[in-house]
Amino acid sequence: MILEVENLAYRYHNGPAIFHDVNFRLEQGEILSILGTNGAGKSTLLNCLGNLYPPCAGEIRLDGTSMRRLPLTQVSRLVSYVPQIHYPVYAYSVRNFVVMGRTPYIGAFSRPKKEDYEKADHALEKLQISHLAEKAYTEISGGERQQVTIARALAQEPKVILLDEPTAHLDYGNQIRAVRLIRELADDGYGVIMTTHNPDHVLMLGGKVGVLDREGRMEFGDAKTILTEEKLSMLYQVRLRLVKVEGLDREACVASMSG
């Protein structure tokens, strides 16, 4: 068991809980898609899993040990986080930006070694973006920046990769490529957790799904079992249908135009 979440809850200051009683487990090579409406708490939950926000209740375990008992460097070696948007501050080269993923393995007053750059180069090759290596991170497109940020996460050599709406700012072609990449990451043995607004991407990926409702409850299970027309229509407050696509071994989520 790579990741185990038990009775997790989070609230801002003294306000109501954003989510509560969240429970799930993630194995090596599994994908968990977190689905929900705007404001449901998907990104907040991801931030808790990435050790960025402290939950107000519950437990997160990595390899059987409570996250709160692990040194920060150990958490960073186990979990990498890819934000929805990354705003560049300095014009680092793409290669130097990716090698920053090696920070958990480099001493506070040390510089990256040859091995660290080799791992960064391998991550760029994995995403087929080696041609960007010497370009300034500030001067590449938003879609390229998303890929480079994922490469930095791979250079970190984690067991779990957290992706906050990885397709949100991509054109349709790049959305499909991102979904395929997520499938490849799981096939390579990473545990992958992503948030999304798009139920069709969840159906494409299969695996596990966690549906956060408007009351902060999360239903967890197999995507094929959890995602029904009734549940999706209730979640999004529009009539949705699951349609078997001829030639594809899966269903697609489509909207009814009749209300």
Side-chain angles (χ1 to χ4, degrees), residues 123-230:
L124 290 169
E125 290 170 8
K126 170 70 178 176
L127 272 76
Q128 300 180 0
I129 52 173
S130 297
H131 60 283
L132 299 177
E134 300 307 320
K135 289 191 175 183
Y137 181 70
T138 53
E139 296 176 3
I140 59 178
S141 71
E144 290 171 334
R145 201 173 294 156
Q146 178 79 338
Q147 291 176 300
V148 169
T149 309
I150 293 173
R152 185 177 68 169
L154 295 184
Q156 196 171 323
E157 295 188 308
K159 290 189 175 182
V160 179
I161 300 177
L162 309 176
L163 299 155
D164 191 9
E165 296 190 32
T167 63
H169 303 282
L170 302 179
D171 62 45
Y172 187 72
N174 279 321
Q175 286 183 34
I176 301 304
R177 293 182 189 96
V179 171
R180 288 173 178 166
L181 173 62
I182 290 166
R183 178 73 268 167
E184 289 175 12
L185 293 176
D187 290 343
D188 287 343
Y190 295 99
V192 182
I193 301 178
M194 76 164 189
T195 62
T196 181
H197 284 293
N198 194 329
D200 204 45
H201 290 170
V202 182
L203 293 167
M204 290 173 68
L205 287 167
K208 306 293 185 181
V209 65
V211 180
L212 269 175
D213 66 21
R214 298 168 191 271
E215 283 73 47
R217 298 182 295 259
M218 190 174 91
E219 185 175 4
F220 171 79
D222 292 326
K224 290 183 179 180
T225 303
I226 297 293
L227 296 187
T228 63
E229 289 184 353
E230 181 182 8

Side-chain angles (χ1 to χ4, degrees), residues 33-49:
S33 302
I34 300 174
L35 195 64
T37 57
N38 289 330
K42 302 184 300 298
S43 294
T44 302
L45 174 56
L46 210 67
N47 281 319
C48 288
L49 301 177

